[in-house]
Amino acid sequence: MKNHIISASRLTLVMLVIVGMYLGIVYAGSKVLPTHGNAEIINFKGQKFYANIGQNFTSPKYFHGRPSAVDYNAAGSAGSNKGPSNEEYLQTVQKRIDTLKMMNPEMQNLKVPVELVTASGSGLDPDISPEGAVCQVKRVAKNRNISSEKLEQLIKNQTETSFFGPSKVNVLQLNIALDQLK
């Protein structure tokens, strides 16, 4: 019995050291990031927005982001946990496709970017692909009376490229830049 307690105590101490080192490495690594591990806060027109949390844009004058499984509530980050064989999930996605094509009639014969009709694992993804933004250009151009070329250039300017992943556009930052266009 005494041997088991000593072994368990040693294992506990070793695990505390390993976990403590891991947490220290993660914390130190976060301080190297541009935001130093904190949220990226944007102040615009007297309001505070978090650029790393998806926002709900519904006006036809703005680019729309990913749907959210948690209604954009950062306190309850989660996905729907419904797989591609779930009938309810398939109906939800089909409704989103129908709504997207109704709001963007020029998309009738185009392939719908998946991020415009499916929620991310967290339900709070703030980014879409450049293709997802370009699909919405005609609607935004019509509602803002801005040329499509100007909006496509704006999307190019707002596109972030990464060595490790696909290019992305932060929808909040894109819409703020859109509001600042003259």
Side-chain angles (χ1 to χ4, degrees), residues 12-130:
T12 300
L13 287 174
V14 168
M15 290 308 298
L16 282 172
V17 169
I18 290 171
V19 170
M21 288 173 43
Y22 170 75
L23 291 174
I25 290 167
V26 169
Y27 178 77
S30 72
K31 295 304 175 188
V32 175
L33 297 172
T35 59
H36 304 292
N38 298 319
E40 185 178 345
I41 299 172
I42 296 174
N43 290 304
F44 183 68
K45 292 186 178 178
Q47 287 187 293
K48 182 165 70 170
F49 298 97
Y50 294 93
N52 55 343
I53 297 175
Q55 309 288 321
N56 189 17
F57 292 99
T58 56
S59 169
K61 294 170 65 173
Y62 288 105
F63 290 94
H64 299 171
R66 286 190 86 148
S68 174
V70 293
D71 199 28
Y72 304 96
N73 180 359
S77 172
S80 70
N81 294 332
K82 294 178 182 168
S85 62
N86 182 293
E87 193 60 39
E88 182 184 341
Y89 176 73
L90 294 175
Q91 289 173 0
T92 300
V93 170
Q94 188 58 53
K95 285 180 192 173
R96 289 174 181 162
I97 291 170
D98 295 342
T99 301
L100 186 66
K101 287 186 174 185
M102 182 181 69
M103 291 183 73
N104 302 282
E106 65 283 346
M107 287 183 65
Q108 291 303 324
N109 299 322
L110 297 177
K111 182 180 172 189
V112 175
V114 70
E115 77 272 5
L116 295 180
V117 293
T118 59
S120 65
S122 68
L124 300 170
D125 191 352
D127 304 317
I128 59 174
S129 68

